[in-house]
Amino acid sequence: MAISAPEKDRIGRLRRLKYSEDDIASIDKIEYTPHDLDEPDFYSVQDIQACLQRSDLYISNPDVTSKVNEYQDLANQLIRFTSLIRRPGIVTPSAIERCMQMAYTAKLNSGCISRQVGAVVTDENYSVRSVGWNDAPHGQVPCNLRNRDDLLAGKDSEAYSEFEKTDSDYLGHFATSTVRFSSIPTKGQNNAFCFKSEFNSFKGEKNQVHTRSLHAEENAFLQISKYGLASIAGGTLFTTASPCELCAKKAYQLGIKKIIYIDPYPGIALTHILQGGTKNPILHLFSGAIGRAFHRLYTPIVAYKDELSALIR
Ligand SMILES: [Zn+2]
Ligand SMILES: [Zn+2]
């Protein structure tokens, strides 16, 4: 279960607890930066992002200004979950849960070896217009099916770019970094790699530009222009993560009115891009059940009609 608050509320709460700006920045750096399992300090710190990604019950706990029903919304969410735990299927999923569940299902299609994200775009009535996940453009081989040894041996040539196959400086760097992974084939696993990480270490950079994948949100938007479906102006974007700056800008330009997200990732996408100007989309932290919990909570044990008949026997 994940309980989260919008980024500005979370920061505000830490400030009220007398954390300095430096304290907050250093907590975020430790707990909110993506970690790799081979980092020595990994096992002794929290990885908030990974926890959010792995949860299947989400409770949203934003600041409430009203003092008369301060805990109403929180209580409603808890009552709903406990009722569903006691009696699966007693209510049906909300439109928001249904759409987020589709985004959650879509994310499993991603061939990215570090992170899977799903997105759904609907019109204003939550009628689904498109679905997307983070992946290489259609026609390019996803990262999970590519292989260090194939690239270096000149096999499966179509899976690698001209740059990867011909830039001798890059290839030299790549061959050196592959030495560390030389035992992988003997373990029966595909020796996949992330081009972005390789290229960044080659260049000594740390940026997100050289990813092979389109973002899930981007892919969902593009499906609509690719296949000519209906307009999404005034619609809603669902994402199992949260939109990055580039996707937030696209959502804004497309006239998306509402963005439902799971991971309140620290960054400027929300405050800088989505809250500047006159057509700002409404941002909603997702609350509800997805993934396995969606099925567990919403699948009735017996048909309700039969349950009622049994009660009057
Ligand atoms: Zn990848
Ligand atoms: Zn993005």
Side-chain angles (χ1 to χ4, degrees):
M1 177 184 282
I3 304 173
S4 39
E7 180 61 3
K8 73 167 181 13
D9 297 355
R10 181 184 69 95
I11 302 266
R13 287 172 200 176
L14 290 172
R15 283 181 190 140
R16 284 199 293 281
L17 290 168
K18 308 272 188 277
Y19 282 83
S20 71
E21 300 308 303
D22 287 349
D23 294 338
I24 297 173
S26 83
I27 292 173
D28 283 355
K29 194 161 178 282
I30 296 166
E31 298 187 350
Y32 228 137
T33 319
H35 295 285
D36 284 329
L37 275 172
D38 58 359
E39 286 173 47
D41 295 337
F42 179 80
Y43 292 98
S44 56
V45 298
Q46 295 204 57
D47 186 343
I48 306 271
Q49 232 181 337
C51 294
L52 281 166
Q53 291 296 312
R54 260 157 235 183
S55 174
D56 55 5
L57 278 184
Y58 293 89
I59 290 182
S60 142
N61 184 27
D63 283 352
V64 179
T65 43
S66 163
K67 290 293 161 210
V68 285
N69 57 355
E70 200 179 345
Y71 298 109
Q72 188 68 59
D73 193 40
L74 200 54
N76 287 350
Q77 294 177 67
L78 292 170
I79 291 166
R80 189 180 166 93
F81 284 150
T82 33
S83 309
L84 282 163
I85 288 165
R86 289 166 62 112
R87 292 282 306 280
I90 186 110
V91 289
T92 52
S94 67
I96 287 178
E97 278 175 307
R98 184 174 70 231
C99 295
M100 193 58 95
Q101 175 71 357
M102 286 183 215
Y104 183 87
T105 306
K107 83 175 190 175
L108 304 179
N109 292 295
S110 164
C112 179
I113 61 170
S114 59
R115 194 162 186 234
Q116 294 177 306
V117 179
V120 160
V121 180
T122 72
D123 70 5
E124 57 195 348
N125 300 311
Y126 299 116
S127 172
V128 174
R129 290 289 168 254
S130 74
V131 172
W133 55 88
N134 58 318
D135 222 339
H138 187 63
Q140 294 186 11
V141 177
C143 299
N144 64 334
L145 298 177
R146 307 198 323 156
N147 180 313
R148 289 177 177 276
D149 308 301
D150 281 358
L151 170 56
L152 290 173
K155 293 184 196 159
D156 193 16
S157 177
E158 280 173 13
Y160 308 93
S161 72
E162 267 321 285
F163 172 80
E164 290 177 290
K165 288 184 289 192
T166 57
D167 191 284
S168 49
D169 290 345
Y170 174 73
L171 273 169
H173 172 88
F174 185 80
T176 312
S177 72
T178 294
V179 173
R180 243 184 98 210
F181 297 93
S182 57
S183 68
I184 299 286
T186 66
K187 305 199 180 352
Q189 300 282 65
N190 184 40
N191 204 355
F193 62 98
C194 177
F195 174 77
K196 183 181 73 184
S197 313
E198 286 296 327
F199 190 77
N200 278 344
S201 89
F202 169 60
K203 286 281 185 192
E205 289 171 358
K206 243 194 164 168
N207 72 50
Q208 299 293 319
V209 178
H210 305 294
T211 151
R212 298 183 60 238
S213 288
L214 291 138
H215 290 179
E217 301 88 338
E218 205 172 19
N219 246 336
F221 293 147
L222 286 169
Q223 297 306 308
I224 297 166
S225 39
K226 188 173 179 183
Y227 299 115
L229 301 176
S231 156
I232 55 165
T236 300
L237 167 67
F238 292 83
T239 167
T240 63
S242 68
C244 72
E245 275 100 69
L246 296 171
C247 293
K249 225 184 302 180
K250 290 175 190 123
Y252 196 109
Q253 172 70 345
L254 285 164
I256 291 288
K257 275 280 146 323
K258 218 184 278 175
I259 298 181
I260 319 261
Y261 63 102
I262 283 181
D263 178 3
Y265 185 71
I268 61 168
L270 305 186
T271 47
H272 174 62
I273 293 167
L274 295 172
Q275 294 172 349
T278 54
K279 295 183 184 301
N280 301 340
I282 304 162
L283 298 163
H284 264 304
L285 204 46
F286 174 70
S287 151
I290 51 169
R292 271 189 287 261
F294 184 93
H295 291 285
R296 282 201 314 268
L297 296 186
Y298 290 114
T299 309
I301 292 167
V302 292
Y304 194 58
K305 182 169 143 275
D306 296 339
E307 192 178 338
L308 292 181
S309 309
L311 282 174
I312 54 165
R313 280 177 75 89

